[in-house]
Amino acid sequence: MYSRNIKETPKSIIHNGKANFGTYKKVTEKLEIRGLKFPFIGIPTPKFFSNMRIRSRIAYMFNIGTYIGMVEFLDNKAFGLAEVIFWNKDTNQRFSYHTIMPTRKRFVPTNTQEAACTSYRKTRYIKVNWSRKHKRHSLSFTVRGDKFRPAAKGSFIATFNKPETPELLSVTPAPTTSKCSATWLIPLKIKGGINTGKHRKDIKSFPNEEGLALMAMNRTYLKLHSKSEMMCGLVNIDGKDIIFRFTNTNQEAINSDEYNDNILSVDSSITPMPPVCITHPFGINNKWVVQDTENMVDLSFTPISCSNRTLNILIIRNVYTTIYGTFEGVLLTQDGERIVLKNCPGIVKKNLLRL
């Protein structure tokens, strides 16, 4: 059975110019990866230029009531991108809203104790924030509609910094030890809901429903051309909250058995999962297959609705597809517990970024 050592958390991710690689049970006070010595082929590089290659991202996947979706913030240094996308699971109707955020010092915060990431536009107000002091994690958004889609408001609240709120920090080579990637993962049990209407002012209240969410915050020294595939499933089975996340990227560590970001959360217990192979031999609109070599992951993903988008801003090109669908198959926890999935709702994102 595959296992990965979960270590005690160091004071910082970077120490004396080197990264503390590993999987940790708690996150450091700051998710900061600046300060690596010679991150580019061993060549001395001015800090300004090496720091400009660091990209940050927050992805918040949720499944609550009749809706499943994803809120994402992307920090591209010169500008920020924020997007809200969700589906009605009963009708498969898609709702998608995005905005470009103007230049500011930092879009995605580094503080893991108390911070917020916000898009301030009146037509696209999106905010995710957390506070250990107040034991609170929340996401809210208010987005204006148009002739193609309604206005929408959403609000989700979760308890935070309690024993029943597990966390994981994964620091991996990207793909060699000269560069690194740090990911903070938090499975959440949320309350709240989403409401839609013709105008924002018409939406006066939210449903009070229970659901599941996963927040992933990442910082990485990005290649000039990066490709990634991420999939996340969120479901309650027989009273157990099941959340899993698997990724494939051209920046994954050479020793991916020891260093990767894959997890399975069952209630308040997190199992670090082995690297997986994600394939879609008949195209991304048809069945996907997800397997590992340890017999802990054997899944298929059937797409229901796809959203494709291409952004060309200055010298940056971002092509991505977000897909809502269902998972079928089997997962094993580190204790050998067998999790059988059937019609498990989930989100898949395929991304190509060129700097």
Side-chain angles (χ1 to χ4, degrees):
M1 177 84 61
Y2 173 86
S3 64
R4 197 179 339 144
N5 184 30
I6 301 181
K7 306 176 183 178
E8 291 295 328
T9 306
K11 289 185 178 180
S12 62
I13 294 173
I14 307 300
H15 180 68
N16 290 335
K18 295 182 179 180
N20 289 309
F21 294 114
T23 303
Y24 303 102
K25 62 177 65 177
K26 292 291 182 181
V27 70
T28 51
E29 291 189 1
K30 288 184 178 290
L31 196 75
E32 183 61 86
I33 63 172
R34 290 182 300 176
L36 278 179
K37 289 184 179 179
F38 315 136
F40 303 108
I41 326 176
I43 300 174
T45 308
K47 288 183 179 180
F48 172 79
F49 292 106
S50 61
N51 291 342
M52 284 296 292
R53 287 283 295 277
I54 297 175
R55 293 295 182 270
S56 307
R57 184 189 305 264
I58 291 179
Y60 185 106
M61 289 69 68
F62 61 87
N63 180 17
I64 188 168
T66 58
Y67 294 104
I68 183 170
M70 180 176 180
V71 173
E72 190 167 35
F73 289 89
L74 179 64
D75 187 341
N76 263 319
K77 299 297 184 183
F79 66 93
L81 172 67
E83 182 176 48
V84 176
I85 182 169
F86 58 92
W87 285 264
N88 185 311
K89 294 180 291 185
D90 295 334
T91 64
N92 298 332
Q93 184 180 6
R94 184 184 76 231
F95 307 87
S96 178
Y97 312 83
H98 79 283
T99 184
I100 303 297
M101 297 183 290
T103 303
R104 63 177 101 141
K105 182 178 179 181
R106 179 178 286 120
F107 299 96
V108 176
T110 60
N111 194 329
T112 64
Q113 308 303 301
E114 186 167 3
C117 186
T118 311
S119 165
Y120 293 101
R121 285 188 60 183
K122 291 183 179 179
T123 59
R124 297 287 188 269
Y125 179 81
I126 310 165
K127 180 179 181 180
V128 57
N129 66 292
W130 54 89
S131 171
R132 293 187 187 275
K133 180 180 178 180
H134 297 99
K135 298 181 179 180
R136 176 186 172 98
H137 194 290
S138 65
L139 168 72
S140 60
F141 60 84
T142 302
V143 289
R144 188 176 70 181
D146 52 34
K147 62 181 180 180
F148 300 108
R149 57 201 163 176
K153 289 184 178 181
S155 178
F156 312 131
I157 299 174
T159 56
F160 183 49
N161 201 32
K162 288 188 175 182
E164 61 268 27
T165 306
E167 302 175 58
L168 206 68
L169 170 65
S170 176
V171 182
T172 66
T176 62
T177 55
S178 63
K179 295 187 285 292
C180 75
S181 174
T183 304
W184 176 32
L185 296 157
I186 320 171
L188 297 164
K189 190 161 187 171
I190 58 175
K191 288 186 177 181
I194 295 174
N195 230 337
T196 60
K198 188 174 182 181
H199 300 289
R200 289 170 292 172
K201 294 181 180 179
D202 298 334
I203 306 172
K204 304 296 184 182
S205 61
F206 302 100
N208 187 20
E209 300 173 304
E210 292 189 350
L212 300 173
L214 174 69
M215 192 189 86
M217 188 163 86
N218 171 265
R219 278 188 155 76
T220 185
Y221 285 87
L222 207 61
K223 290 183 176 181
L224 294 177
H225 291 79
S226 65
K227 299 178 182 179
S228 64
E229 293 172 335
M230 183 282 302
M231 49 180 46
C232 177
L234 310 101
V235 68
N236 184 282
I237 301 175
D238 298 329
K240 293 184 177 181
D241 296 327
I242 310 297
I243 301 173
F244 58 88
R245 177 181 181 267
F246 300 114
T247 61
N248 264 2
T249 171
N250 65 342
Q251 295 208 156
E252 69 182 25
I254 294 174
N255 185 4
S256 58
D257 282 331
E258 186 174 356
Y259 304 113
N260 69 70
D261 300 335
N262 298 335
I263 65 161
L264 166 63
S265 173
V266 180
D267 290 334
S268 59
S269 175
I270 293 182
T271 297
M273 299 297 280
V276 298
C277 178
I278 301 174
T279 58
H280 35 82
F282 304 106
I284 62 173
N285 293 315
N286 294 294
K287 184 171 288 190
W288 295 49
V289 178
V290 190
Q291 293 178 320
D292 70 336
T293 60
E294 306 287 339
N295 296 320
M296 292 181 71
V297 182
D298 186 8
L299 299 177
S300 65
F301 175 77
T302 303
I304 295 175
S305 176
C306 299
S307 173
N308 300 294
R309 192 178 296 278
T310 300
L311 293 176
N312 291 296
I313 304 173
L314 301 176
I315 60 173
I316 296 174
R317 177 179 173 84
N318 193 8
V319 181
Y320 59 96
T321 302
T322 311
I323 308 171
Y324 156 57
T326 57
F327 289 96
E328 309 271 350
V330 178
L331 297 171
L332 289 183
T333 70
Q334 59 192 355
D335 299 324
E337 181 182 359
R338 194 167 182 262
I339 307 295
V340 179
L341 303 177
K342 187 175 182 180
N343 293 323
C344 168
I347 298 288
V348 165
K349 182 156 189 179
K350 184 178 175 67
N351 191 75
L352 171 63
L353 180 62
R354 186 187 68 195
L355 302 180

